[in-house]
Amino acid sequence: MAIAVRMAQTTWEGPLASGTGTVRMGSGATGELPVTWAARTERADGKTSPEELAAAAHSACYAMALALRLGEHKAVPERLAITATVTLDQAGGGPTIVSSHLDVTARVPGLGKTAFDTMAGEASDLCPVSRPFAGAEVTVDATLEPAP
């Protein structure tokens, strides 16, 4: 039995360069999100792209994986802030996601930097969304903030 099954639907009209589309999450959490090729490769102008959606998925998944890893070591995060930057470039004869970079800032009282760095590195392997990026470079820059 599957742990989770989720869906999204995209409707597209017109040719790639001048066409438009909308993405709708099955949960209804976001409403319709407009997508265009120009928003994907030039300026977003309030529209999204598959790469931005992949970045959202990667940052959320990684945050959960890091919270899990910290919890396994009895370290409770006060705050985790993860920014994912997904890069689309030409590779292997066509547009390809070539990297996903995670910037991590965490406040975890009582946790030392060495232990945090180890767990931050391990969290990427725990995150199922990291796996589709297997052919891409996945990097993590992690910063542990001092507790107030």
Coordinates of all heavy atoms in Angstrom, one line a residue, residues 15-115:
P15 N 0.8 26.9 -28.8 CA 2.1 26.4 -29.0 C 3.0 26.8 -27.8 O 2.6 27.6 -27.0 CB 2.6 27.2 -30.2 CG 1.8 28.4 -30.3 CD 0.4 28.0 -29.7
L16 N 4.2 26.2 -27.7 CA 5.1 26.3 -26.5 C 5.4 27.8 -26.3 O 5.2 28.3 -25.2 CB 6.3 25.5 -26.7 CG 7.4 25.7 -25.6 CD1 6.8 25.2 -24.3 CD2 8.6 24.9 -25.9
A17 N 5.9 28.5 -27.3 CA 6.4 29.8 -27.1 C 5.4 30.9 -26.7 O 5.6 31.7 -25.9 CB 7.2 30.3 -28.4
S18 N 4.2 30.7 -27.2 CA 3.1 31.7 -26.9 C 1.9 31.2 -26.2 O 1.0 31.9 -25.8 CB 2.7 32.4 -28.2 OG 2.1 31.4 -29.1
G19 N 1.9 29.9 -25.9 CA 0.8 29.3 -25.2 C 0.8 29.6 -23.8 O 1.7 30.2 -23.2
T20 N -0.3 29.2 -23.1 CA -0.4 29.4 -21.7 C -1.0 28.2 -21.1 O -1.7 27.4 -21.7 CB -1.3 30.6 -21.3 OG1 -2.6 30.4 -21.9 CG2 -0.8 31.9 -21.9
G21 N -0.8 28.0 -19.8 CA -1.3 26.9 -19.1 C -1.7 27.2 -17.7 O -1.3 28.3 -17.2
T22 N -2.3 26.3 -17.0 CA -2.6 26.4 -15.6 C -2.3 25.1 -14.9 O -2.6 24.0 -15.5 CB -4.1 26.8 -15.3 OG1 -4.9 25.9 -15.9 CG2 -4.4 28.2 -15.8
V23 N -1.8 25.1 -13.7 CA -1.6 23.9 -12.9 C -2.5 24.0 -11.7 O -2.6 25.1 -11.1 CB -0.1 23.9 -12.4 CG1 0.1 22.7 -11.5 CG2 0.9 23.9 -13.6
R24 N -3.2 22.9 -11.4 CA -4.1 22.9 -10.3 C -3.7 21.7 -9.4 O -3.6 20.6 -9.9 CB -5.5 22.7 -10.8 CG -6.5 22.6 -9.7 CD -8.0 22.5 -10.2 NE -8.3 23.7 -10.9 CZ -8.9 23.8 -12.0 NH1 -9.3 22.6 -12.6 NH2 -9.2 24.9 -12.6
M25 N -3.4 22.0 -8.2 CA -3.1 20.9 -7.2 C -4.4 20.2 -6.8 O -5.4 20.8 -6.6 CB -2.5 21.5 -5.9 CG -1.3 22.3 -6.2 SD 0.1 21.4 -7.0 CE 1.1 22.8 -7.5
G26 N -4.3 18.9 -6.7 CA -5.5 18.1 -6.3 C -6.0 18.4 -5.0 O -7.2 18.3 -4.8
S27 N -5.2 18.9 -4.1 CA -5.6 19.3 -2.7 C -6.4 20.6 -2.7 O -7.1 20.9 -1.8 CB -4.4 19.5 -1.8 OG -3.6 20.6 -2.3
G28 N -6.2 21.4 -3.8 CA -6.9 22.7 -3.8 C -6.1 23.7 -3.0 O -6.6 24.9 -2.8
A29 N -5.0 23.4 -2.5 CA -4.2 24.3 -1.5 C -3.8 25.5 -2.2 O -3.6 26.6 -1.5 CB -3.0 23.5 -1.0
T30 N -3.6 25.5 -3.5 CA -3.0 26.7 -4.1 C -3.9 27.4 -5.1 O -3.6 28.5 -5.6 CB -1.7 26.4 -4.9 OG1 -2.0 25.4 -5.9 CG2 -0.7 25.8 -4.0
G31 N -5.0 26.8 -5.5 CA -5.8 27.4 -6.6 C -5.1 27.2 -7.9 O -4.1 26.4 -7.9
E32 N -5.5 27.8 -8.9 CA -4.9 27.6 -10.2 C -3.6 28.5 -10.3 O -3.6 29.6 -9.9 CB -5.8 28.1 -11.4 CG -6.9 27.1 -11.6 CD -7.6 27.4 -12.9 OE1 -7.4 28.4 -13.5 OE2 -8.4 26.5 -13.3
L33 N -2.5 27.9 -10.8 CA -1.2 28.6 -11.0 C -1.0 28.7 -12.4 O -0.9 27.7 -13.2 CB -0.1 27.7 -10.3 CG -0.3 27.5 -8.8 CD1 0.8 26.5 -8.3 CD2 -0.2 28.8 -8.0
P34 N -0.8 29.9 -13.0 CA -0.5 30.1 -14.4 C 0.9 29.7 -14.7 O 1.8 30.0 -13.9 CB -0.8 31.6 -14.6 CG -0.6 32.2 -13.3 CD -0.9 31.2 -12.3
V35 N 1.1 29.1 -15.9 CA 2.4 28.7 -16.4 C 2.6 29.1 -17.9 O 1.6 29.0 -18.6 CB 2.7 27.2 -16.2 CG1 2.8 26.8 -14.8 CG2 1.7 26.3 -17.0
T36 N 3.8 29.6 -18.2 CA 4.1 29.8 -19.6 C 5.6 29.5 -19.8 O 6.3 29.4 -18.9 CB 3.9 31.3 -20.0 OG1 4.8 32.1 -19.2 CG2 2.5 31.8 -19.8
W37 N 5.9 29.3 -21.1 CA 7.3 29.1 -21.4 C 8.2 30.3 -21.0 O 9.3 30.2 -20.5 CB 7.5 28.8 -22.9 CG 8.9 28.5 -23.3 CD1 9.7 29.4 -24.0 CD2 9.8 27.4 -22.9 NE1 11.0 28.8 -24.1 CE2 11.0 27.6 -23.5 CE3 9.5 26.3 -22.2 CZ2 12.1 26.7 -23.3 CZ3 10.6 25.4 -22.0 CH2 11.8 25.6 -22.6
A38 N 7.7 31.5 -21.3 CA 8.4 32.7 -20.9 C 8.7 32.8 -19.4 O 9.7 33.2 -18.9 CB 7.7 34.0 -21.4
A39 N 7.6 32.4 -18.6 CA 7.8 32.4 -17.2 C 8.8 31.4 -16.7 O 9.5 31.6 -15.7 CB 6.5 32.1 -16.5
R40 N 9.0 30.3 -17.5 CA 9.9 29.3 -17.2 C 11.4 29.7 -17.5 O 12.3 29.3 -16.8 CB 9.5 28.0 -18.0 CG 10.3 26.8 -17.6 CD 9.7 25.6 -18.4 NE 10.3 24.4 -17.9 CZ 10.0 23.2 -18.3 NH1 9.1 23.1 -19.3 NH2 10.6 22.1 -17.9
T41 N 11.6 30.4 -18.6 CA 12.9 30.7 -19.1 C 13.3 32.1 -19.1 O 14.5 32.4 -19.3 CB 13.0 30.2 -20.6 OG1 12.1 30.9 -21.4 CG2 12.8 28.7 -20.6
E42 N 12.4 33.1 -18.9 CA 12.8 34.5 -18.9 C 12.4 35.1 -17.5 O 13.2 35.0 -16.6 CB 12.1 35.2 -20.0 CG 12.5 34.6 -21.4 CD 11.6 35.1 -22.5 OE1 10.9 36.1 -22.4 OE2 11.6 34.4 -23.6
R43 N 11.2 35.7 -17.5 CA 10.8 36.4 -16.2 C 9.5 35.7 -15.7 O 8.6 35.5 -16.5 CB 10.5 37.9 -16.5 CG 11.8 38.6 -16.7 CD 11.6 40.1 -16.8 NE 10.4 40.6 -16.1 CZ 9.8 41.7 -16.4 NH1 10.1 42.4 -17.4 NH2 8.8 42.1 -15.6
A44 N 9.4 35.5 -14.4 CA 8.3 34.8 -13.9 C 7.0 35.6 -14.0 O 5.9 35.1 -14.4 CB 8.5 34.5 -12.4
D45 N 7.0 36.9 -13.8 CA 5.8 37.8 -14.0 C 4.6 37.2 -13.3 O 3.5 37.2 -13.9 CB 5.6 38.1 -15.4 CG 6.6 39.0 -16.0 OD1 7.2 39.9 -15.3 OD2 6.8 39.0 -17.3
G46 N 4.8 36.7 -12.1 CA 3.6 36.2 -11.3 C 3.1 34.8 -11.8 O 2.1 34.3 -11.3
K47 N 3.9 34.2 -12.6 CA 3.5 32.8 -13.1 C 4.6 31.8 -12.5 O 5.6 32.2 -12.1 CB 3.5 32.7 -14.6 CG 2.5 33.6 -15.2 CD 2.6 33.7 -16.7 CE 1.6 34.6 -17.3 NZ 1.9 36.1 -17.1
T48 N 4.2 30.5 -12.5 CA 5.2 29.5 -12.0 C 5.7 28.7 -13.1 O 5.5 28.9 -14.3 CB 4.5 28.7 -10.9 OG1 5.5 27.9 -10.2 CG2 3.4 27.7 -11.5
S49 N 6.5 27.7 -12.8 CA 7.2 26.8 -13.7 C 7.3 25.4 -13.1 O 7.3 25.3 -11.9 CB 8.5 27.4 -14.2 OG 9.4 27.3 -13.1
P50 N 7.6 24.4 -13.9 CA 7.9 23.1 -13.3 C 9.1 23.1 -12.4 O 9.1 22.5 -11.3 CB 8.1 22.2 -14.5 CG 7.3 22.9 -15.6 CD 7.5 24.3 -15.4
E51 N 10.1 24.0 -12.7 CA 11.3 24.0 -11.9 C 10.9 24.7 -10.5 O 11.5 24.3 -9.5 CB 12.4 24.8 -12.6 CG 12.9 24.0 -13.8 CD 12.0 23.9 -15.0 OE1 11.2 24.9 -15.2 OE2 12.1 22.9 -15.7
E52 N 10.1 25.7 -10.5 CA 9.7 26.3 -9.3 C 8.9 25.3 -8.4 O 9.1 25.3 -7.2 CB 8.9 27.6 -9.5 CG 8.5 28.3 -8.2 CD 7.9 29.6 -8.5 OE1 6.9 29.7 -9.3 OE2 8.2 30.6 -7.8
L53 N 8.0 24.6 -9.1 CA 7.2 23.6 -8.3 C 8.1 22.5 -7.8 O 7.9 22.0 -6.7 CB 6.1 23.0 -9.2 CG 5.1 24.0 -9.7 CD1 4.2 23.4 -10.8 CD2 4.2 24.5 -8.5
A54 N 9.1 22.1 -8.5 CA 10.1 21.1 -8.1 C 10.9 21.7 -6.9 O 11.2 21.0 -5.9 CB 11.1 20.7 -9.2
A55 N 11.3 23.0 -7.0 CA 12.0 23.6 -5.8 C 11.1 23.6 -4.6 O 11.6 23.4 -3.5 CB 12.4 25.0 -6.2
A56 N 9.8 23.9 -4.7 CA 8.9 23.9 -3.6 C 8.8 22.5 -3.0 O 8.9 22.4 -1.8 CB 7.5 24.4 -4.0
A57 N 8.7 21.5 -3.8 CA 8.6 20.1 -3.4 C 9.9 19.7 -2.7 O 9.9 19.1 -1.6 CB 8.3 19.2 -4.5
H58 N 11.1 20.1 -3.2 CA 12.3 19.7 -2.7 C 12.6 20.4 -1.3 O 13.0 19.8 -0.3 CB 13.5 20.0 -3.6 CG 14.7 19.2 -3.4 ND1 15.9 19.5 -3.9 CD2 14.9 18.2 -2.6 CE1 16.8 18.7 -3.5 NE2 16.2 17.8 -2.7
S59 N 12.2 21.7 -1.2 CA 12.5 22.4 0.1 C 11.6 21.9 1.2 O 12.0 21.7 2.3 CB 12.3 23.9 -0.1 OG 10.9 24.3 -0.4
A60 N 10.3 21.6 0.9 CA 9.4 21.0 1.9 C 9.8 19.6 2.3 O 9.8 19.3 3.5 CB 7.9 21.0 1.3
C61 N 10.1 18.8 1.3 CA 10.6 17.4 1.6 C 11.8 17.4 2.5 O 11.9 16.7 3.5 CB 10.8 16.7 0.3 SG 11.3 15.0 0.5
Y62 N 12.8 18.3 2.1 CA 14.0 18.3 2.9 C 13.8 18.8 4.3 O 14.4 18.3 5.2 CB 15.1 19.2 2.2 CG 16.4 19.3 2.9 CD1 17.4 18.3 2.7 CD2 16.6 20.3 3.9 CE1 18.5 18.4 3.4 CE2 17.7 20.3 4.6 CZ 18.7 19.4 4.4 OH 19.9 19.4 5.1
A63 N 12.9 19.8 4.5 CA 12.6 20.3 5.8 C 12.1 19.2 6.7 O 12.4 19.0 7.9 CB 11.6 21.4 5.7
M64 N 11.2 18.3 6.1 CA 10.6 17.2 6.9 C 11.7 16.2 7.2 O 11.7 15.6 8.3 CB 9.4 16.6 6.1 CG 8.3 17.5 6.0 SD 7.0 16.7 5.0 CE 5.9 18.1 4.7
A65 N 12.5 15.9 6.2 CA 13.6 14.9 6.4 C 14.6 15.4 7.5 O 15.0 14.6 8.3 CB 14.3 14.6 5.1
L66 N 14.9 16.7 7.5 CA 15.8 17.2 8.5 C 15.2 17.2 9.9 O 15.8 16.8 10.9 CB 16.3 18.6 8.1 CG 17.3 19.3 9.1 CD1 18.5 18.4 9.3 CD2 17.7 20.6 8.6
A67 N 13.9 17.5 9.9 CA 13.2 17.4 11.2 C 13.2 16.0 11.7 O 13.3 15.8 12.9 CB 11.7 18.0 11.1
L68 N 13.0 15.0 10.8 CA 13.0 13.6 11.2 C 14.4 13.3 11.8 O 14.5 12.7 12.9 CB 12.7 12.7 10.0 CG 12.9 11.2 10.3 CD1 11.9 10.7 11.3 CD2 12.8 10.5 8.9
R69 N 15.4 13.6 11.0 CA 16.8 13.2 11.5 C 17.1 13.9 12.8 O 17.7 13.2 13.7 CB 17.8 13.6 10.4 CG 19.2 13.3 10.7 CD 19.5 11.9 11.1 NE 19.7 11.1 9.9 CZ 19.4 9.8 9.8 NH1 19.0 9.2 10.8 NH2 19.6 9.2 8.7
L70 N 16.8 15.2 13.0 CA 17.0 15.9 14.2 C 16.3 15.2 15.4 O 16.8 14.9 16.4 CB 16.6 17.3 14.1 CG 17.5 18.2 13.2 CD1 16.8 19.5 12.9 CD2 18.9 18.4 13.9
G71 N 15.0 14.8 15.1 CA 14.2 14.2 16.1 C 14.8 12.8 16.6 O 14.7 12.4 17.7
E72 N 15.3 12.1 15.6 CA 16.0 10.8 15.9 C 17.1 11.0 16.9 O 17.5 10.0 17.6 CB 16.5 10.1 14.6 CG 15.3 9.6 13.8 CD 15.8 9.2 12.4 OE1 17.0 9.5 12.0 OE2 15.0 8.5 11.7
H73 N 17.7 12.2 17.0 CA 18.8 12.5 17.9 C 18.4 13.4 19.0 O 19.2 14.1 19.6 CB 20.0 13.2 17.1 CG 20.6 12.2 16.2 ND1 20.2 12.0 14.9 CD2 21.7 11.4 16.4 CE1 21.0 11.1 14.3 NE2 21.9 10.7 15.2
K74 N 17.0 13.4 19.3 CA 16.5 14.1 20.4 C 16.8 15.6 20.3 O 16.8 16.3 21.3 CB 16.9 13.6 21.7 CG 16.8 12.1 21.9 CD 15.4 11.7 22.2 CE 15.3 10.2 22.6 NZ 14.9 9.3 21.5
A75 N 16.9 16.1 19.1 CA 17.1 17.6 18.9 C 15.9 18.1 18.3 O 15.5 17.7 17.2 CB 18.3 17.8 18.0
V76 N 15.2 19.1 18.9 CA 14.0 19.6 18.4 C 14.2 21.0 17.8 O 14.7 21.9 18.5 CB 12.9 19.8 19.6 CG1 11.7 20.4 19.1 CG2 12.7 18.4 20.2
P77 N 14.0 21.1 16.5 CA 14.2 22.4 15.9 C 13.2 23.4 16.3 O 12.0 23.1 16.3 CB 14.1 22.1 14.4 CG 13.3 20.9 14.3 CD 13.5 20.1 15.6
E78 N 13.6 24.6 16.6 CA 12.7 25.8 16.8 C 12.2 26.3 15.5 O 11.1 26.7 15.3 CB 13.4 26.9 17.6 CG 13.5 26.7 19.1 CD 14.1 27.9 19.8 OE1 14.4 28.9 19.1 OE2 14.3 27.8 21.0
R79 N 13.2 26.3 14.5 CA 12.8 26.8 13.2 C 13.8 26.2 12.2 O 15.0 26.2 12.4 CB 13.0 28.3 13.2 CG 12.6 29.0 11.9 CD 12.6 30.5 12.1 NE 12.2 31.1 10.9 CZ 13.0 31.4 9.9 NH1 14.3 31.2 9.9 NH2 12.6 32.0 8.8
L80 N 13.3 25.8 11.0 CA 14.1 25.4 9.9 C 13.6 26.2 8.7 O 12.4 26.3 8.4 CB 13.8 23.9 9.5 CG 14.2 22.9 10.6 CD1 13.8 21.5 10.1 CD2 15.6 22.9 10.9
A81 N 14.5 26.9 8.0 CA 14.2 27.7 6.8 C 15.0 27.1 5.7 O 16.2 27.1 5.7 CB 14.5 29.1 7.0
I82 N 14.3 26.5 4.7 CA 15.0 25.9 3.5 C 14.6 26.6 2.3 O 13.4 26.7 2.0 CB 14.6 24.4 3.4 CG1 15.1 23.5 4.6 CG2 15.3 23.8 2.2 CD1 14.9 23.8 5.9
T83 N 15.6 27.0 1.5 CA 15.4 27.6 0.2 C 16.0 26.7 -0.8 O 17.2 26.4 -0.8 CB 16.0 29.0 0.0 OG1 15.5 29.9 1.0 CG2 15.8 29.6 -1.3
A84 N 15.2 26.2 -1.8 CA 15.7 25.3 -2.8 C 15.8 26.1 -4.1 O 14.9 26.9 -4.5 CB 14.8 24.1 -3.1
T85 N 16.9 26.0 -4.8 CA 17.1 26.7 -6.1 C 17.3 25.6 -7.2 O 18.4 24.9 -7.1 CB 18.3 27.6 -6.1 OG1 18.1 28.6 -5.0 CG2 18.5 28.4 -7.4
V86 N 16.4 25.4 -8.0 CA 16.5 24.4 -9.1 C 16.9 25.0 -10.4 O 16.3 26.1 -10.8 CB 15.1 23.6 -9.2 CG1 15.1 22.7 -10.5 CG2 14.8 22.8 -8.0
T87 N 17.9 24.5 -11.1 CA 18.4 25.1 -12.3 C 18.1 24.2 -13.5 O 18.4 23.0 -13.5 CB 19.9 25.2 -12.2 OG1 20.2 26.1 -11.0 CG2 20.5 25.9 -13.4
L88 N 17.5 24.8 -14.5 CA 17.3 24.2 -15.8 C 18.3 24.7 -16.8 O 18.5 25.9 -16.9 CB 15.8 24.5 -16.3 CG 15.4 24.0 -17.7 CD1 15.2 22.5 -17.5 CD2 14.2 24.7 -18.1
D89 N 19.0 23.7 -17.5 CA 20.0 24.1 -18.4 C 20.0 23.1 -19.6 O 19.4 22.0 -19.5 CB 21.4 24.2 -17.8 CG 22.3 25.1 -18.5 OD1 22.0 25.6 -19.6 OD2 23.4 25.4 -17.9
Q90 N 20.8 23.4 -20.6 CA 21.0 22.4 -21.7 C 21.9 21.3 -21.2 O 23.0 21.6 -20.8 CB 21.5 23.1 -22.9 CG 20.5 24.0 -23.6 CD 19.4 23.2 -24.3 OE1 19.5 22.1 -24.7 NE2 18.3 23.9 -24.4
A91 N 21.5 20.1 -21.4 CA 22.4 19.0 -21.0 C 21.9 17.7 -21.7 O 20.7 17.5 -21.8 CB 22.5 18.7 -19.5
G92 N 22.8 16.9 -22.2 CA 22.3 15.7 -22.9 C 21.4 15.9 -24.1 O 20.6 15.0 -24.3
G93 N 21.5 17.0 -24.7 CA 20.7 17.2 -25.9 C 19.4 17.9 -25.7 O 18.6 18.0 -26.7
G94 N 19.1 18.4 -24.5 CA 17.9 19.1 -24.3 C 17.8 19.7 -22.9 O 18.7 19.5 -22.1
P95 N 16.8 20.5 -22.7 CA 16.6 21.1 -21.4 C 16.6 20.1 -20.3 O 15.8 19.1 -20.4 CB 15.3 21.9 -21.5 CG 15.1 22.1 -22.9 CD 15.7 20.9 -23.6
T96 N 17.4 20.3 -19.2 CA 17.5 19.3 -18.2 C 17.6 20.0 -16.8 O 18.3 21.0 -16.8 CB 18.7 18.4 -18.4 OG1 18.6 17.7 -19.7 CG2 18.9 17.3 -17.3
I97 N 17.0 19.5 -15.8 CA 17.3 20.0 -14.5 C 18.7 19.5 -14.1 O 18.9 18.2 -14.0 CB 16.2 19.5 -13.4 CG1 14.9 20.3 -13.8 CG2 16.7 19.8 -12.0 CD1 13.7 19.9 -12.9
V98 N 19.6 20.4 -13.9 CA 21.0 20.0 -13.7 C 21.4 20.1 -12.3 O 22.4 19.5 -11.9 CB 22.0 20.8 -14.6 CG1 21.7 20.5 -16.1 CG2 21.9 22.3 -14.3
S99 N 20.6 20.9 -11.5 CA 21.0 21.0 -10.0 C 19.8 21.4 -9.2 O 18.9 22.0 -9.7 CB 22.2 22.0 -9.9 OG 21.8 23.3 -10.2
S100 N 19.9 21.1 -7.9 CA 19.0 21.6 -6.9 C 19.9 22.0 -5.7 O 20.6 21.1 -5.1 CB 18.0 20.6 -6.5 OG 17.1 21.2 -5.5
H101 N 20.0 23.2 -5.4 CA 20.8 23.7 -4.2 C 19.9 24.1 -3.1 O 18.9 24.8 -3.3 CB 21.7 24.9 -4.7 CG 22.5 25.4 -3.5 ND1 23.6 24.8 -3.0 CD2 22.3 26.5 -2.7 CE1 24.1 25.5 -2.0 NE2 23.3 26.5 -1.8
L102 N 20.2 23.5 -1.9 CA 19.4 23.8 -0.7 C 20.2 24.7 0.2 O 21.3 24.4 0.6 CB 19.1 22.5 0.0 CG 18.3 21.5 -0.8 CD1 18.2 20.1 -0.1 CD2 16.8 22.0 -1.0
D103 N 19.6 25.9 0.6 CA 20.2 26.7 1.6 C 19.4 26.5 2.8 O 18.1 26.7 2.8 CB 20.1 28.2 1.2 CG 21.2 28.6 0.3 OD1 22.4 28.4 0.6 OD2 20.9 29.2 -0.8
V104 N 20.0 26.1 3.9 CA 19.4 25.7 5.1 C 19.8 26.6 6.3 O 21.0 26.7 6.5 CB 19.7 24.2 5.5 CG1 19.0 23.8 6.8 CG2 19.4 23.3 4.3
T105 N 18.9 27.1 7.0 CA 19.2 27.9 8.2 C 18.3 27.3 9.3 O 17.1 27.1 9.1 CB 18.9 29.4 8.0 OG1 19.6 29.9 7.0 CG2 19.2 30.2 9.3
A106 N 18.9 26.9 10.4 CA 18.2 26.2 11.5 C 18.5 26.8 12.8 O 19.6 27.2 13.1 CB 18.5 24.7 11.4
R107 N 17.5 26.8 13.7 CA 17.7 27.1 15.1 C 17.3 25.9 15.9 O 16.1 25.5 15.9 CB 16.9 28.3 15.5 CG 17.2 28.8 16.9 CD 16.5 30.0 17.4 NE 16.5 31.1 16.4 CZ 15.4 31.7 15.8 NH1 14.2 31.3 16.2 NH2 15.6 32.6 14.9
V108 N 18.3 25.2 16.5 CA 18.1 24.0 17.2 C 18.9 24.1 18.5 O 20.1 23.8 18.6 CB 18.6 22.7 16.4 CG1 18.2 21.4 17.1 CG2 18.1 22.8 15.0
P109 N 18.2 24.5 19.6 CA 18.8 24.6 20.9 C 19.5 23.4 21.3 O 19.0 22.2 21.2 CB 17.7 25.0 21.8 CG 16.6 25.5 20.9 CD 16.7 24.8 19.6
G110 N 20.8 23.6 21.8 CA 21.5 22.5 22.4 C 22.3 21.6 21.4 O 22.9 20.7 21.8
L111 N 22.2 21.9 20.1 CA 22.8 21.1 19.1 C 24.1 21.8 18.6 O 24.1 23.0 18.3 CB 21.9 20.9 17.9 CG 22.4 19.9 16.8 CD1 22.5 18.5 17.3 CD2 21.5 20.0 15.6
G112 N 25.2 21.0 18.6 CA 26.5 21.5 18.1 C 26.6 21.6 16.6 O 25.8 20.8 15.9
K113 N 27.5 22.4 16.1 CA 27.6 22.5 14.6 C 28.0 21.2 13.9 O 27.5 20.9 12.9 CB 28.6 23.6 14.3 CG 28.9 23.8 12.8 CD 28.7 25.2 12.3 CE 29.1 25.4 10.9 NZ 28.3 24.7 9.9
T114 N 28.9 20.5 14.5 CA 29.4 19.2 13.8 C 28.2 18.3 13.7 O 28.0 17.7 12.6 CB 30.5 18.6 14.6 OG1 31.6 19.6 14.7 CG2 31.0 17.3 14.0
A115 N 27.5 18.1 14.7 CA 26.3 17.1 14.7 C 25.3 17.7 13.7 O 24.7 16.9 12.9 CB 25.7 17.0 16.1

